[in-house]
Amino acid sequence: MKEIYPWNLSAWQQLQAQRQANRLAHAYLFHGPAGVGKQDLAEAFAASLLCQQPAADGSACGHCSACQQFEAGTHPDNLILVPEPGKTQIQIDPVRELCARLGLKSHQGGFKVARIEGAHRLNRSAANSLLKTLEEPTDNTVLVLITDQPSRLLATIRSRCQGLRLAAPPAAGARGWLATRVGDHDADLLLALANGAPLTALALTEGEHLARRQAWFDQWQALIDGREDAVAVAADWSGADNNAPLEWMSQWLMDLIRLQQGEHAIRNLDLLEPMQDMAEDMDPVTLHNLLEQVWQALQMTATPVNRQSLFEDLLIAWTAAGRPRRRRKHA
Ligand SMILES: [Zn+2]
């Protein structure tokens, strides 16, 4: 069963108090930044509603037949909709099917619980289809919409859901939680890189994330020093199976802008020294334009686009931005 993270405990208790008082909403909107455990909380909530013998605090027992089915992903009253991999929108058909199933009697005589992850990805017709279910809910149904971009949901959907904001915990609490889970890693650095989101920080320690980030940064720096070729680096970056190089580049540019503005609270704490050196002779307008270009590129990667040329354009512009630096270094 999913762990209730300490920073989500009050939200959990609020939900369970509503349940005790028979005052559950028909629809909830769990919103807040990525990496704070919204999906885990929704899963624990769904499991607790379906469990036949929940514990005193409301959590699922983990042993009853309902819990076993839940864990196996076969509980007929547990519905979940996630955006299909590679698709930017949730289309109407799966939503229609979900709503039809919510309209039926529950299989086990208790709740029917549906979760929609990435709910901001509902396209307009899917959202309108869902709206009908929100307007005329059937008994004992609980719908949980989950998103880190609530402003992208239709206002009519938002207004029919009870909002539950899940925020990143205060730094000290997050650090304490993280420090016991990341071994030799620097919890403060991880949290800074993750903008305070503990689960994102934890995920950074898995696999090769940090090693790749360092390799990409070295290439990025080599480009403005004239030691690497933009086309070759673009070939490397565009081969990554996600947008991580672009996301890091956006973070690095924002840190350069912060440094130029005299702020020292940058996210990439471990790169402070090379970043300070870079910030010295970068043109501020060029930096802002580059950042804008990276954000546009991030949006374009969701569309059919030639990644190689997208990355080339960016890195050629970045290389050009390093001209004053190269002049200084070679003077
Ligand atoms: Zn149970």
Side-chain angles (χ1 to χ4, degrees), residues 56-181:
D57 70 350
S59 56
C61 74
H63 307 296
C64 70
S65 61
C67 282
Q68 284 174 14
Q69 282 184 310
F70 189 93
E71 283 287 289
T74 56
H75 197 300
D77 296 322
N78 173 41
L79 311 175
I80 182 157
L81 196 57
V82 293
E84 282 176 63
K87 292 268 171 68
T88 54
Q89 294 195 323
I90 300 177
Q91 310 285 338
I92 186 168
D93 286 343
V95 172
R96 231 182 231 148
E97 193 194 320
L98 182 108
C99 293
R101 289 180 64 185
L102 275 181
L104 302 173
K105 274 176 88 80
S106 89
H107 286 76
Q108 302 196 352
F111 282 103
K112 281 166 295 174
V113 190
R115 285 170 281 156
I116 301 182
E117 294 182 358
H120 58 277
R121 295 182 189 277
L122 289 164
N123 72 15
R124 184 161 279 264
S125 49
N128 281 325
S129 172
L130 184 67
L131 207 49
K132 288 196 202 99
T133 296
L134 291 173
E135 281 163 351
E136 297 159 19
T138 42
D139 283 344
N140 289 332
T141 59
V142 177
L143 187 65
V144 182
L145 308 187
I146 304 158
T147 181
D148 51 17
Q149 297 174 51
S151 62
R152 285 178 59 192
L153 277 169
L154 285 184
T156 42
I157 296 234
R158 280 203 307 270
S159 68
R160 282 170 177 80
C161 296
Q162 187 172 117
L164 191 64
R165 179 169 161 73
L166 301 165
R175 190 187 306 119
W177 181 85
L178 194 62
T180 59
R181 287 165 174 79

Side-chain angles (χ1 to χ4, degrees), residues 283-300:
D283 173 52
V285 176
T286 306
L287 278 182
H288 278 97
N289 289 343
L290 274 163
L291 185 58
E292 189 73 25
Q293 201 182 340
V294 173
W295 287 345
Q296 278 171 7
L298 273 165
Q299 288 180 353
M300 284 171 73

